[in-house]
Structure formats: structure tokens, C-alpha cells
Amino acid sequence: MSNLSCAPARLLTIAIDGPAGAGKSTVARGVAARLGYTYLDTGAMYRALAWATLNRGIDPTDHATIGALARQLDIRLQPADSELHPTRVFVDGIEITHEIRTPEISAITSPISAIPEVRTTMVALQQEMGARGGIVMEGRDIGTVVFPNADVKVFLTASSHRRAERRAAELEVRGTPIPFAQLVRDIEERDQRDSGRDVAPMVPAADAVILDSDSLSADDVVQQIVHWHREAEQRRG
Ligand code: C5P
């Protein structure tokens, strides 16, 4: 029997980081679908924790209680076939897919995700979920902290104006429009918090490729990443 003919394809890890609204979800899902890989939205995990914090009336500045909550919560993610809500999110069995996408949750997720105990718990969960490879993980620190040895690392970015336009279109479809100037302000504020924090700041990994989605279509980015994945497979043999 030939070992070569039945050797399973090696499953790789793809890290897609970048700021809010750069198109990470669309691209990460597209790449996962092309490769038959699992897609994981790590932002949904931090959002679920923020939702639970508010829901339980916990003071968002009470780091110790939120750190303990992160360890106790049962957060589950399930893929969904929807452009608006690509991931179904459950906390302790309650579905909160829609609830976690409000501007209020976006705003408090950012400071909550900067709590060191929160990151330790979330990063360990994410590493466990991606341990076998075959995963496209999107977030802010995947290529720097969660999987520093990821096979393909992309930092997807775009101008804040373009990103606010994308958010505006999403909120319009959801029936919860927000004035454009406020959207730009919210996005820039969140960027500053996410990249200025002490723990796992949002920065491109030294070996990440930086792609600007202002000048590229989502399909172009997906194709490019699938190509890098093929090259990484060949390198790994
Ligand atoms: O990706 P999304 O916009 O849903 O992420 C919400 C927030 O969660 C981000 O603004 C960031 O503060 C936090 N986050 C993080 N690390 C990740 C993913 C998200 O700190 N890996």
C-alpha cells in the first residue's frame, strides 16, 4: 500500500486581522468556503461576553468580576447562512446572534476585551478551537498572539470612511440606521482603543501581508489568500 496516495492533506491555519468594517468576515468566510475550512469570528466571543456583562448588570469597569465571568460563560458559535449574521452566537444556551451587533455592544466590547484576564481565557479557547488546523480565524490578535505560527497571515484594512460606509449599509438593512458622522467617529474611537491597549493591541504581525480593501474587491482578496494558502501547503510539503 502506498503511503503517498492516502496521506491526508495537511490542514493549515489562516489568520485574518484588522479593524472593524474592513471586510474581514466576508473574506474569512469566503476563504473558509473555498477550502472547506472552519470559519471562526473571535469578535463574536468578546461581544458575547460584553452582552452577558450588561445583561447581568455588572459594572463594565469591574475587571475582576468580568474576568471571572469570562471563565464561567458557555459561549458557543455556530455557522449560519446569512450575510448579515454569519455566525449564530449562544451564551449559556440563549441565542444572542442579533443582540450582540448593536452599537452599544460594539462600544463596550472594546474596553472589556482589553481586560488581561478576559484575553487569557478567550485566547486559550481560540487556540483550542484551532488546534487541529483547517481554520480561518478573524480578529485583532490572531496572527500576533493566538496563532503566531499561522501559515497565512493577513491584515485587512481600509479607510475609516469606507469602513463606515460598509457599517452604514449593514445598519440600514437591519433597520437601525445611525448618522454617518457618528459612525465614522465610533469606528475611529474603537480603532484607537483596540490599537492603543497594553495587552494584545491591534497591530499587524511582522510577517503579515497588509491588504487595503479600499482598492480590492472581496473576491480578489479571497483569491489572493487561497493562492497564499496553496503556496504555504507546498512549502510545508
Ligand atoms: O470584530 P468585531 O468588530 O466584532 O470585534 C468587536 C471588538 O472585539 C473589537 O472592537 C475588539 O475590541 C474586540 N476584539 C478583540 N480581539 C479579537 C477580536 C475582537 O479585542 N481577536
Side-chain angles (χ1 to χ4, degrees):
M1 193 169 69
S2 151
N3 276 336
L4 277 179
S5 59
C6 57
R10 196 187 287 267
L11 299 176
L12 306 188
T13 301
I14 300 178
I16 302 184
D17 289 305
K24 298 188 298 296
S25 301
T26 308
V27 163
R29 283 173 71 218
V31 172
R34 284 276 298 272
L35 300 174
Y37 277 13
T38 301
Y39 158 64
L40 188 87
D41 170 7
T42 60
M45 298 170 69
Y46 292 99
R47 284 173 181 272
L49 175 63
W51 177 85
T53 301
L54 281 191
N55 187 252
R56 291 171 192 213
I58 299 170
D59 175 354
T61 62
D62 182 350
H63 291 191
T65 305
I66 299 172
L69 181 64
R71 290 193 293 277
Q72 288 156 16
L73 278 188
D74 177 22
I75 300 175
R76 281 169 205 265
L77 306 182
Q78 254 180 36
D81 199 14
S82 152
E83 196 51 50
L84 261 189
H85 295 293
T87 300
R88 292 182 70 191
V89 184
F90 301 81
V91 160
D92 292 337
I94 302 169
E95 178 157 17
I96 52 165
T97 304
H98 299 271
E99 287 80 350
I100 62 165
R101 300 291 165 189
T102 64
E104 188 192 14
I105 294 289
S106 299
I108 77 149
T109 301
S110 189
I112 282 179
S113 66
I115 301 172
E117 296 84 347
V118 165
R119 299 212 75 83
T120 306
T121 302
M122 295 298 184
V123 167
L125 285 172
Q126 291 152 11
Q127 287 172 334
E128 203 181 305
M129 290 191 261
R132 285 194 298 272
I135 195 151
V136 185
M137 204 175 275
E138 67 148 299
R140 303 290 188 287
D141 61 339
I142 311 305
T144 49
V145 176
V146 183
F147 287 111
N149 296 323
D151 303 280
V152 178
K153 293 186 192 180
V154 174
F155 191 89
L156 193 60
T157 185
S159 63
S160 50
H161 192 270
R162 181 74 191 96
R163 292 188 285 124
E165 276 178 355
R166 287 201 187 104
R167 277 285 180 265
E170 279 172 22
L171 292 168
E172 191 73 43
V173 174
R174 280 185 204 145
T176 51
I178 288 188
F180 189 73
Q182 188 189 327
L183 272 178
V184 176
R185 257 199 323 274
D186 288 354
I187 275 193
E188 289 178 347
E189 231 176 75
R190 194 139 67 95
D191 286 354
Q192 261 175 20
R193 260 186 194 283
D194 289 346
S195 41
R197 67 188 174 206
D198 291 337
V199 191
M202 175 182 69
V203 284
D207 52 350
V209 184
I210 300 176
L211 289 181
D212 184 340
S213 69
D214 271 8
S215 49
L216 294 165
S217 73
D219 279 350
D220 289 342
V221 178
V222 169
Q223 277 195 16
Q224 182 59 71
I225 296 174
V226 168
H227 172 74
W228 285 328
H229 171 270
R230 199 174 308 121
E231 286 184 343
E233 267 184 332
Q234 285 161 358
R235 273 199 307 277
R236 287 210 149 198

